[in-house]
């Protein structure tokens, strides 16, 4: 293999870059009533910068690691083990689940590597859609 960086992982839809920052910022936001020096807009802007850095300078591995973090946030909200905006969790869960399903069409081990996350997200999305806390924890 040449020393060139593989960028095929960037060939997916733009929804993760466009929709995840605001949803993930909402999931990472402190609980209501907790003092925070940053507004929701500042948190979303910081998350947007993080996603942009991952896309511009990251790798497939760092991107999937980020999406695993998002999966943990989503499954925690769905299970009721962490507080968070259920609508934001549902949006983030659907976006990441769609992303992981599309990995089947790309070279590499991304699809296999995300199998556990896909299963966890399927249950979490189902629970978030029906407003029923999912038992069994996160991933």
């Amino acid at each position: 293999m040449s020393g060139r960086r593989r960028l095929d992982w960037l060939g997916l839809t733009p929804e993760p870059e466009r929709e995840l920052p605001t949803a993930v910022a909402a999931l990472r936001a402190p609980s209501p009533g907790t003092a925070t020096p940053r507004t929701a807009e500042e948190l979303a802007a910081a998350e947007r910068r993080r996603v942009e850095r991952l896309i511009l300078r990251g790798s497939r591995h760092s991107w999937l690691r980020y999406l695993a973090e998002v999966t943990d946030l989503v499954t925690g909200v769905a299970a009721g083990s962490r507080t968070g905006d259920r609508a934001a969790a549902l949006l983030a869960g659907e976006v990441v689940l769609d992303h992981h399903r599309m990995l089947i069409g790309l070279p590499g081990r991304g699809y296999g590597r995300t199998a556990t996350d896909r299963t966890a997200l399927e249950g979490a999305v189902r629970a978030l859609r029906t407003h029923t806390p999912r038992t069994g924890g996160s991933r």
Side-chain angles (χ1 to χ4, degrees):
M1 179 171 193
S2 73
R4 292 178 40 170
R5 195 174 124 190
R6 292 193 56 151
L7 299 176
D8 53 6
W9 62 277
L10 291 173
L12 298 172
T13 65
E15 280 79 8
E17 181 181 4
R18 188 173 50 227
E19 297 178 354
L20 281 181
T22 303
V24 173
L27 295 176
R28 292 189 198 275
S31 300
T34 306
T36 179
R38 297 170 71 176
T39 66
E41 292 79 20
E42 290 170 329
L43 292 169
E47 198 68 32
R48 203 169 296 106
R49 284 189 301 275
R50 182 175 182 200
V51 168
E52 184 177 301
R53 267 192 318 275
L54 283 167
I55 290 171
L56 295 176
R57 294 181 201 87
S59 64
R60 177 193 319 244
H61 182 73
S62 62
W63 177 243
L64 292 179
R65 192 171 47 242
Y66 172 76
L67 295 180
E69 286 179 35
V70 176
T71 297
D72 287 341
L73 292 169
V74 169
T75 56
V77 171
S81 62
R82 84 175 275 120
T83 58
D85 181 329
R86 292 179 69 81
L90 177 58
L91 174 62
E94 289 173 334
V95 168
V96 175
L97 183 57
D98 287 346
H99 174 281
H100 285 354
R101 286 175 174 159
M102 287 188 286
L103 289 173
I104 197 168
L106 294 179
R109 299 179 310 201
Y111 186 77
R113 184 173 167 210
T114 59
T116 301
D117 285 357
R118 277 195 313 279
T119 300
L121 285 166
E122 287 166 353
V125 165
R126 191 170 33 259
L128 290 163
R129 284 181 182 153
T130 62
H131 303 294
T132 306
R134 183 174 172 252
T135 58
S138 57
R139 303 189 293 164

